[in-house]
Amino acid sequence: MEIAKRLEEVRKSLPGGVTLVAVSKTKGDAAIMEAYEAGQRIFGENKVQELTAKYERLPRDIEWHMIGHLQRNKVKYLVPFVSLIQGVDSPRLLREIDKRGRQADRRIDCLLQVHIAEEDSKFGFSREELEELLSGDLPGELPHVRIRGLMGMATFTDDQEQVRREFRNLKTLYDRWLEADPGADILSMGMSGDYELAIEEGSNMVRIGSSIFGERN
Ligand SMILES: *Cc1c(COP(=O)(O)O)cnc(C)c1O
């Protein structure tokens, strides 16, 4: 019952229009089913193998989001069923998703991961790369990919002003993206520790794990 209770608390804290992705990575089927029974349908995982195994075992009306770094050679395993690939971090990965989407006759919803944290990180588009993508016609060349918006992670720090600044930068980029692509509708930012701030700064999708399922090992 703990999970259902915490899920309810998280839900109550979200304004209307903010989508909750319950991040179930490392958690077992029983935990996921407790959230499912409490009405949650969108779950996020960050490992392809774990995600596909859970998809196969668990109810078919679950919407699975891939939230972690995705290697190109694993795209094919997700394309048949994934609802949203968050964290697409390179044009090459976009092209691979398009190719596999064509083979599966599906159009795959994606978010572009933007590198907003001031700390170093290996993954994500930089501002400049995003601008390049916007000014080119890559999205138009990929009929089996639909870019729904942007995703980002703030620096893991107690410095609230820094986190706020990073989210604000991402919101600015999202607004820029919307000018070029008015069909986009998702700005995914905010996790257990910072989602309230993220929502204040304009997030409409939060990815929350430990506040629902408890700490991970
Ligand atoms: C693990 C993870 C989350 C959830 O983190 P919590 O702090 O447990 O809420 C959100 N987004 C991504 C990309 C993650 O890998």
Side-chain angles (χ1 to χ4, degrees):
M1 287 315 291
E2 264 316 291
I3 291 172
K5 213 167 79 198
R6 284 194 294 248
L7 177 65
E8 189 49 34
E9 267 156 31
V10 168
R11 275 205 196 118
K12 271 193 291 197
S13 71
L14 300 179
V18 175
T19 300
L20 172 62
V21 179
V23 176
S24 49
K25 62 191 184 194
T26 77
K27 300 296 173 181
D29 295 357
I32 295 174
M33 283 309 295
E34 188 177 337
Y36 179 89
E37 301 293 354
Q40 183 66 24
R41 289 295 179 273
I42 306 177
F43 292 87
E45 292 279 338
N46 69 341
K47 297 220 158 61
V48 170
Q49 203 173 4
E50 190 176 343
L51 176 51
T52 50
K54 285 175 176 172
Y55 162 72
E56 276 160 20
R57 292 193 303 260
L58 293 166
R60 283 303 149 101
D61 62 344
I62 290 179
E63 293 176 29
W64 292 104
H65 288 196
M66 174 66 189
I67 62 169
H69 177 64
L70 176 57
Q71 290 171 303
R72 274 180 297 133
N73 61 0
K74 301 213 170 134
V75 168
K76 56 179 178 285
Y77 302 116
L78 297 185
V79 150
F81 70 91
V82 73
S83 286
L84 182 64
I85 300 181
Q86 302 202 19
V88 176
D89 58 9
S90 74
R92 290 176 81 194
L93 182 57
L94 270 181
R95 287 202 181 86
E96 176 67 15
I97 296 169
D98 181 65
K99 175 177 141 193
R100 296 295 176 178
R102 174 159 12 94
Q103 289 167 359
D105 196 24
R106 281 192 82 201
R107 191 167 187 206
I108 310 299
D109 284 355
C110 296
L111 302 181
L112 301 181
Q113 181 170 357
V114 185
H115 177 198
I116 51 166
E118 290 167 11
E119 69 189 349
D120 274 347
S121 149
K122 286 179 289 183
F123 305 123
F125 286 89
S126 68
R127 242 157 275 247
E128 294 75 26
E129 288 168 331
L130 208 62
E131 288 289 340
E132 228 169 84
L133 202 63
L134 269 179
S135 56
D137 43 24
L138 183 63
E141 289 168 16
L142 305 174
H144 292 276
V145 165
R146 180 165 56 169
I147 297 174
R148 295 282 301 270
L150 305 182
M151 175 270 210
M153 269 185 284
T155 303
F156 191 68
T157 170
D158 288 332
D159 183 345
Q160 301 278 296
E161 280 318 304
Q162 180 180 346
V163 171
R164 186 182 290 284
R165 193 160 66 233
E166 291 173 357
F167 285 146
R168 193 165 291 173
N169 286 338
L170 183 54
K171 173 65 159 64
T172 303
L173 290 171
Y174 178 65
D175 289 339
R176 271 279 297 125
W177 187 273
L178 280 178
E179 282 172 29
D181 178 9
D185 59 352
I186 299 175
L187 176 57
S188 172
M189 56 184 197
M191 329 197 329
S192 293
D194 58 17
Y195 74 89
E196 279 114 339
L197 258 179
I199 291 169
E200 283 173 24
E201 296 302 327
S203 168
N204 63 19
M205 179 174 280
V206 291
R207 310 173 309 269
I208 298 181
S210 44
S211 290
I212 297 171
F213 295 107
E215 293 300 325
R216 288 176 298 273
N217 295 329

